[in-house]
Amino acid sequence: MDYEPGTLEEKWRSRWREQGRYEADPDDPGDATFVTVPYPYPSGGMHIGHARTYTVPDVWARYRRLQGDNVLFPLAWHVTGTPIVGAVERLKKGEEDQLSVLRDTYNVPEKELKDLETPMGFARYFIENHYKNGMQQLGLSIDWRREFTTNDEKYSKFITWQYETLRERGLLEKGYHPVRYCTNEEQPVTDHDLLEGEGADFQEYTLIKFEREGTVFPMATLRPETVYGVTNAYVNPEAEYVIAAVDDEEWLISREAVEKFDLQRRDVDVRVEMPGAALVGERVTNPVTDEAVLILPASFVDPDNATGVVMSVPAHSPDDWVALEEIKADADRLEGYGIDPDEVRAIEPRAILDIEGYGEYPAGDIVESYGIEGQDDEALEQATQELYNDEFREGRLRDMYGPYADETVQDARENFREEHRAAGHFDAMYEFSEEVVCRCGGDVEVSEQETWFLRYNDEDWREKAKRAVAGMDAIPDHTRDEYYHTIDWLEEWPCIRNYGLGTRLPWDPDFVIEPLSDSTIYMSYYTFAHRLEDVPADQMDREFFDTLFYGEGDDETALALREEWDHWYPVDYRCSGNDLISNHLTFYLYHHAELFPEPKWPQGITIMGMGLLEGEAMSSSKGHVVLPGEAIDRYGADTVRFFLLNSAEPWQDYDWRADQVSTARRQLDRFWNRAQVLIDGPEGDRALRRIDRWLLSKLQSIVVTATEAMDGFETRTASQAAFYDLEEHLRWYRRRADLDRPGAAWTLRTVLETRLVVLAPFVPFLANELYEQMTGAPAEDADWPTVDPEFQSPQIEAEEELVRALVDDIGEVIDVTGTDPSTIRIYTGAAWKYRAFEVVAETGPDIGEAMSQAMQYDSIRARSDEAADLVEELVEFVRERPVEQLGWLEDVDEQEVYEEAARFLGAEFDAEIEVYQEGPDVYDPADKAANAVPFRPAIHLE
């Protein structure tokens, strides 16, 4: 029977669908286990990166079912917010980029484009034709009865309950706060609404209020303490600037900065417009030093960054150091602006702090050490960050700072800034750490808006969230600190939008609860979503959900649903992206910790890495994606799954490469073909030899490795062990054993049967089919294998490793000597050498102690010089091996092992094999025997 994935996989999909195989109910046998993954946002199609995201929890769910658990793995659809609305608007406008993505990347037929011209029509198309279809093709073991969208009326009732409850508990408030604001849509946006700049931080810049004739030139900096080091200023001569009344002062700022200040609740009135060139050559006064500094031209100044006017601190900023050197060398340009080049050449850097490891001018030192030659040097950013970090932690301010002298920048900065803000020398504004663009294409700026906020900085709530982190299993463990870090810096979070899909704010229906804020406890909705069909939406009020979640009431329907929620909750594991720790996953912990009792808090979170395609980031807009359906048609679903899970651990990034996927397909082909031979062959019997027991013992080790790995979501380790590691053992076994024996047939069938169960979570179609051919039932009906003590034999494994090592050593000697031996003599060590090994194994790798203990034996002491060298060699041998392995080796009869393997060795090298133990009367024509040491025999070729 040939391996034909398309036919085979459709057979099993149909069977699972007809059986309702993965529909989990509370009365099913087994402990309740609940695994979730973020629901997809269907603003486009599903690509291969998504496939891996959803296959990771599926593999774990299948594993837990094999362990006997009753597993719930549900999925729904996230449509809240504006990305889908924006996509529809771009489609209706006929934007070519949007049409290209739909037609060329996601293969939407021309005749169906019209169906996508409503938000839910758009969402439904991609839900049904891409996500759901792709997930079913992959064989994901999802309970599809429980699906919903976040725009459903009943789901909105659930969100309404959540926000009414949080407001009643004082965890929502209204006020002004900096938010991401789309200047096109004219409303706040969050990470999920962004095309570029997702995760960009707000940065509060200090504005140093330089001045000229009553006009303030506010210069933005993140390092206000460097004001004593300012030597000059820069403007972009090609940019447009304005003089505007800002609150009660007259400011000179870039044209782009006007909107920024307006959005940040400043009263801005533009009075005069002028080109930047008109400012070049003017002087402005430093408010702290009272010194006038020259304004120089610089094309690198971005008028859209902060105020568009920049102060220069060349002693401590690598950027400024390089810029000043370049402008000093450009005399023609300076003269063109009427500036005396000698005046600019006379500008000297000013040191404001001392730092160990650097000279007078740290910026100059680091520019030189990096070999930076100009503003375009890619190393400049790295050098700048390195110096800033060093100066922040270790730089000590000089005497000019008065009361702050000799303090580190880290200790002094905040107090220094606040002192000068109080004196009127400094002001502030918000800016992003990078460019931010909305999915609608609009620019995103920092705006102070009156809106509703979740009070994530509430101390009681924050402590509950930290307890939730402490009590859960964080995979990998180092991510635990990332949750704590996020909780520590989280402040208020704006939770509403002006428009879009989703739930209306109950007490202010002009607003919609934004996407990250309505996706915090939806996992609880899965537990009863499939049972709401006969529940009227208007019945699902505050009391209904209080009864459901808290048992506070007598609504019989809600109490019945409570039983199901109580059965499945808490969530055992949530699998999600590393980038969501800083928002969604931490919000998930906050809301569970507040709204549910501690026994219902999340039990574990597994983080997943990002995917690459042929070494580059996937991009739907650029068409650089692989659609799962196309990959499955080409390779088969099992191959796609196997490659995605085997190429990296879930939290590691992976790279989809077509040549490697093709290799995985060929490997599954070979696996299938070998399995067919065994299935069609004799069953054999249990007349086992040592080599059979070696393979069966290795099988037990594979079971241990795979089980421990799956318990920790190490899907790569588990699949590598069951497929590649075991395949390596089988290659040796096929080379070593007489496969025509009944014992060999029984052994190989036993290994295959166990192997198929371990592989079933990864390649469920192939594994179920082969297992059913062998046993009459699918692999998913079996129990996850456990170690069989009868076949667990570390000693036999150690003995066989000696044979493998001997084969390698003989082969190496043959290669080195260029001989074709007819006789191979193998010499094991003399009895006293094994006594020396026992001593060293017992004393451990302390050469002095080992020597002292060894010399207690007459047989060793009589050979003191030779024994000393041997003990030293054995100490190294012991040091490289675990203690338990040494115990097994002590029980090994090395000569017997080689004698038992002599027939195999003879066939391997087409030579007669003779095995001897070193001794006075042994046949040793080449004087080789003395070279033998325990577990490394001497070899003579003839």
Side-chain angles (χ1 to χ4, degrees):
M1 180 177 178
D2 293 335
Y3 180 43
E4 297 179 357
T7 303
L8 170 68
E9 290 164 6
E10 184 52 40
K11 165 189 170 180
W12 284 93
R13 289 188 202 106
S14 298
R15 184 190 294 192
W16 292 332
R17 185 167 52 248
E18 292 164 4
Q19 292 175 342
R21 177 86 197 194
Y22 305 115
E23 295 176 358
D25 293 305
D27 56 358
D28 293 339
D31 294 337
T33 296
F34 189 9
V35 60
T36 69
V37 65
Y39 39 25
Y41 197 98
S43 59
M46 179 179 174
H47 58 64
I48 205 69
H50 300 125
R52 195 233 199 177
T53 297
Y54 301 111
T55 305
V56 167
D58 178 68
V59 169
W60 191 79
R62 288 178 175 278
Y63 163 67
R64 292 311 312 173
R65 291 189 189 98
L66 289 166
Q67 289 279 18
D69 290 0
N70 181 19
V71 179
L72 173 60
F73 176 28
L75 203 75
W77 313 103
H78 197 198
V79 301
T80 303
T82 61
I84 291 174
V85 177
V88 169
E89 290 304 312
R90 293 194 295 277
L91 169 62
K92 290 165 71 174
K93 291 176 184 177
E95 291 186 10
E96 193 53 43
D97 287 348
Q98 177 71 347
L99 287 169
S100 176
V101 168
L102 294 175
R103 291 170 177 151
D104 304 331
T105 302
Y106 293 123
N107 304 319
V108 180
E110 190 76 29
K111 64 181 180 181
E112 297 188 39
L113 286 173
K114 195 70 179 175
D115 297 338
L116 276 63
E117 291 188 358
T118 66
M120 288 308 295
F122 193 101
R124 282 292 172 197
Y125 178 86
F126 283 106
I127 288 171
E128 296 299 331
N129 294 283
H130 279 259
Y131 279 96
K132 191 170 182 179
N133 184 58
M135 291 172 179
Q136 289 173 335
Q137 281 186 290
L138 282 165
L140 302 189
S141 56
I142 291 170
D143 185 346
W144 289 109
R145 298 174 302 165
R146 300 168 189 265
E147 66 177 313
F148 57 86
T149 78
T150 56
N151 204 45
D152 295 348
E153 182 183 9
K154 293 177 182 179
Y155 180 81
S156 289
K157 294 289 188 179
F158 164 69
I159 298 299
T160 296
W161 165 80
Q162 179 184 179
Y163 276 81
E164 286 177 340
T165 302
L166 292 172
R167 186 189 187 197
E168 180 183 89
R169 297 183 184 185
L171 297 175
L172 280 165
E173 67 177 14
K174 194 174 187 180
Y176 287 95
H177 197 271
V179 298
R180 297 179 178 88
Y181 186 85
C182 176
T183 57
N184 183 38
E185 295 178 347
E186 297 186 346
Q187 67 167 342
V189 292
T190 61
D191 280 355
H192 284 198
D193 304 308
L194 300 180
L195 186 65
E196 297 178 24
E198 186 175 339
D201 295 326
F202 296 132
Q203 293 181 314
E204 185 178 14
Y205 278 85
T206 298
L207 300 179
I208 311 297
K209 296 168 71 173
F210 287 75
E211 191 172 324
R212 188 197 69 178
E213 298 178 358
T215 299
V216 172
F217 284 58
M219 303 190 194
T221 180
L222 295 171
R223 304 183 69 195
E225 77 285 352
T226 63
V227 66
Y228 279 103
V230 175
T231 60
N232 60 282
Y234 292 112
V235 296
N236 188 328
E238 306 300 322
E240 291 294 320
Y241 289 82
V242 303
I243 294 177
V246 179
D247 297 336
D248 56 356
E249 294 181 323
E250 186 174 86
W251 285 17
L252 183 288
I253 55 179
S254 67
R255 161 61 68 183
E256 290 83 351
V258 171
E259 182 179 39
K260 296 176 188 289
F261 284 114
D262 184 60
L263 288 171
Q264 292 179 34
R265 300 182 62 224
R266 300 280 193 152
D267 186 7
V268 184
D269 181 19
V270 175
R271 303 283 175 80
V272 179
E273 300 181 0
M274 66 186 70
L279 301 170
V280 175
E282 299 291 342
R283 292 181 181 274
V284 290
T285 302
N286 187 322
V288 176
T289 66
D290 206 31
E291 178 185 14
V293 297
L294 187 64
I295 298 178
L296 297 176
S299 59
F300 62 77
V301 172
D302 182 359
D304 195 31
N305 189 339
T307 66
V309 190
V310 179
M311 69 185 202
S312 173
V313 187
H316 301 281
S317 167
D319 295 279
D320 293 343
W321 178 278
V322 173
L324 184 58
E325 292 302 306
E326 289 184 351
I327 196 69
K328 284 181 178 183
D330 198 350
D332 291 343
R333 188 180 188 204
L334 292 171
E335 289 173 349
Y337 287 106
I339 299 173
D340 182 356
D342 289 336
E343 184 179 5
V344 177
R345 293 189 194 104
I347 296 175
E348 292 291 335
R350 293 176 185 169
I352 61 167
L353 56 80
D354 298 304
I355 179 170
E356 188 175 345
Y358 291 90
E360 179 76 1
Y361 303 128
D365 292 345
I366 202 165
V367 165
E368 181 179 357
S369 69
Y370 271 84
I372 294 169
E373 298 180 354
Q375 288 282 327
D376 296 331
D377 196 314
E378 293 182 356
L380 188 57
E381 182 178 353
Q382 183 179 348
T384 298
Q385 192 60 53
E386 181 180 331
L387 179 60
Y388 281 13
N389 290 341
D390 289 346
E391 290 193 340
F392 180 71
R393 294 191 304 267
E394 301 173 22
R396 294 193 174 274
L397 299 172
R398 291 189 170 186
D399 291 344
M400 63 188 74
Y401 285 85
Y404 304 104
D406 202 41
E407 287 192 22
T408 64
V409 173
Q410 184 175 6
D411 292 336
R413 176 180 290 170
E414 185 173 346
N415 292 334
F416 179 80
R417 181 184 62 211
E418 294 310 310
E419 177 188 327
H420 285 282
R421 284 187 72 164
H425 300 152
F426 296 172
D427 208 312
M429 73 176 295
Y430 291 102
E431 186 60 282
F432 288 119
S433 57
E434 58 185 281
E435 183 180 12
V436 184
V437 179
C438 182
R439 285 181 185 263
C440 75
D443 291 332
V444 177
E445 301 288 354
V446 182
S447 174
E448 290 194 72
Q449 295 278 310
E450 185 178 34
T451 187
W452 284 93
F453 301 98
L454 288 158
R455 296 182 56 236
Y456 288 138
N457 56 355
D458 178 86
E459 283 305 317
D460 288 342
W461 201 4
R462 181 171 274 167
E463 286 307 309
K464 287 180 185 177
K466 287 184 176 180
R467 290 211 327 267
V469 173
M472 75 175 190
D473 184 15
I475 298 177
D477 189 63
H478 68 77
T479 57
R480 192 181 308 277
D481 289 339
E482 296 180 45
Y483 293 105
Y484 286 131
H485 174 71
T486 300
I487 292 169
D488 284 337
W489 66 252
L490 266 181
E491 297 294 331
E492 295 101 343
W493 179 266
C495 62
I496 59 171
R497 301 287 307 272
N498 292 347
Y499 76 96
L501 301 179
T503 301
R504 294 281 165 182
L505 194 66
W507 55 90
D508 196 346
D510 288 340
F511 295 99
V512 177
I513 297 170
E514 62 88 24
L516 284 167
S517 299
D518 83 338
S519 56
T520 55
I521 60 167
Y522 70 86
M523 311 80 199
S524 61
Y525 194 81
Y526 282 131
T527 63
F528 50 81
H530 62 308
R531 296 179 58 184
L532 294 176
E533 184 175 347
D534 298 327
V535 181
D538 57 11
Q539 180 182 329
M540 299 171 65
D541 55 14
R542 181 79 180 277
E543 291 182 5
F544 176 87
F545 284 106
D546 280 349
T547 301
L548 197 163
F549 291 120
Y550 305 138
E552 298 174 358
D554 54 9
D555 186 307
E556 292 184 4
T557 301
L559 288 171
L561 297 180
R562 175 175 173 78
E563 291 181 5
E564 183 131 1
W565 172 77
D566 187 56
H567 175 81
W568 293 114
Y569 243 60
V571 178
D572 290 276
Y573 279 97
R574 182 155 181 80
C575 302
S576 192
N578 184 66
D579 57 318
L580 297 182
I581 291 178
S582 62
N583 45 65
H584 162 70
L585 287 172
T586 302
F587 300 171
Y588 162 71
L589 295 171
Y590 261 96
H591 287 247
H592 275 79
E594 175 60 35
L595 293 168
F596 298 136
E598 192 160 346
K600 301 298 185 182
W601 291 1
Q603 300 297 291
I605 298 178
T606 297
I607 289 305
M608 288 184 284
M610 306 298 289
L612 300 175
L613 174 56
E614 304 294 345
E616 297 180 10
M618 296 185 201
S619 171
S620 299
S621 61
K622 297 177 181 178
H624 189 61
V625 294
V626 170
L627 302 186
E630 294 175 354
I632 291 169
D633 288 344
R634 180 175 179 183
Y635 304 108
D638 276 328
T639 298
V640 171
R641 291 172 63 104
F642 187 68
F643 179 83
L644 290 173
L645 276 299
N646 194 257
S647 57
E649 297 295 6
W651 49 88
Q652 297 170 333
D653 295 346
Y654 68 97
D655 190 0
W656 177 275
R657 291 187 176 271
D659 60 337
Q660 295 176 9
V661 182
S662 295
T663 298
R665 167 58 197 274
R666 290 193 296 272
Q667 290 167 339
L668 291 183
D669 277 337
R670 286 195 296 271
F671 179 84
W672 172 273
N673 292 333
R674 286 190 182 278
Q676 288 296 320
V677 171
L678 283 176
I679 292 169
D680 294 340
E683 293 187 9
D685 59 38
R686 292 183 55 155
L688 304 179
R689 295 180 180 174
R690 184 199 298 262
I691 190 60
D692 303 323
R693 292 189 175 277
W694 169 81
L695 182 60
L696 292 168
S697 183
K698 281 295 186 183
L699 179 65
Q700 310 314 306
S701 300
I702 294 294
V703 168
V704 170
T705 298
T707 305
E708 291 177 351
M710 289 301 293
D711 286 341
F713 270 88
E714 296 174 9
T715 54
R716 182 179 189 273
T717 298
S719 58
Q720 285 271 339
F723 196 84
Y724 294 106
D725 294 353
L726 191 48
E727 188 59 38
E728 182 179 341
H729 300 327
L730 282 163
R731 276 197 294 272
W732 175 254
Y733 178 80
R734 295 184 193 111
R735 180 177 169 186
R736 179 88 162 82
D738 176 3
L739 301 181
D740 294 330
R741 294 179 298 106
W746 186 90
T747 298
L748 288 170
R749 288 177 64 91
T750 299
V751 169
L752 177 61
E753 187 172 329
T754 300
R755 192 181 189 191
L756 288 171
V757 177
V758 177
L759 287 173
F762 301 92
V763 286
F765 302 99
L766 178 149
N768 276 308
E769 177 68 25
L770 291 174
Y771 194 89
E772 189 169 72
Q773 289 179 19
M774 283 191 77
T775 69
E780 57 194 349
D781 280 353
D783 294 327
W784 183 264
T786 56
V787 170
D788 187 339
E790 178 186 352
F791 296 123
Q792 192 174 33
S793 178
Q795 181 173 332
I796 288 178
E797 292 188 41
E799 291 171 353
E800 193 61 24
E801 285 307 308
L802 293 177
V803 176
R804 296 185 72 161
L806 179 57
V807 169
D808 291 341
D809 289 346
I810 293 172
E812 186 175 339
V813 173
I814 290 173
D815 289 342
V816 170
T817 60
T819 47
D820 182 13
S822 59
T823 301
I824 300 174
R825 297 185 180 90
I826 300 165
Y827 298 93
T828 60
W832 71 268
K833 293 182 178 180
Y834 289 95
R835 171 62 70 186
F837 168 73
E838 293 171 2
V839 171
V840 175
E842 291 169 6
T843 58
D846 181 329
I847 192 165
E849 179 64 18
M851 185 65 74
S852 174
Q853 292 299 321
M855 291 304 168
Q856 304 299 313
Y857 294 90
D858 294 341
S859 61
I860 299 175
R861 189 168 57 249
R863 300 167 174 82
S864 57
D865 291 341
E866 186 182 356
D869 292 338
L870 176 65
V871 168
E872 186 173 350
E873 189 171 345
L874 291 173
V875 164
E876 286 303 311
F877 180 87
V878 166
R879 184 177 285 122
E880 295 170 358
R881 285 161 177 77
V883 173
E884 59 270 20
Q885 189 181 84
L886 300 177
W888 307 328
L889 287 171
E890 286 187 62
D891 295 331
V892 169
D893 184 332
E894 192 176 0
Q895 185 166 0
E896 181 185 326
V897 169
Y898 299 144
E899 288 173 345
E900 192 274 342
R903 183 177 177 185
F904 159 70
L905 295 170
E908 190 78 4
F909 296 104
D910 190 22
E912 184 178 344
I913 306 298
E914 299 176 3
V915 182
Y916 302 97
Q917 182 173 24
E918 176 190 1
D921 300 323
V922 70
Y923 179 65
D924 186 14
D927 293 329
K928 294 287 188 179
N931 297 329
V933 297
F935 316 116
R936 201 181 73 229
I939 300 167
H940 174 227
L941 307 181
E942 183 175 281

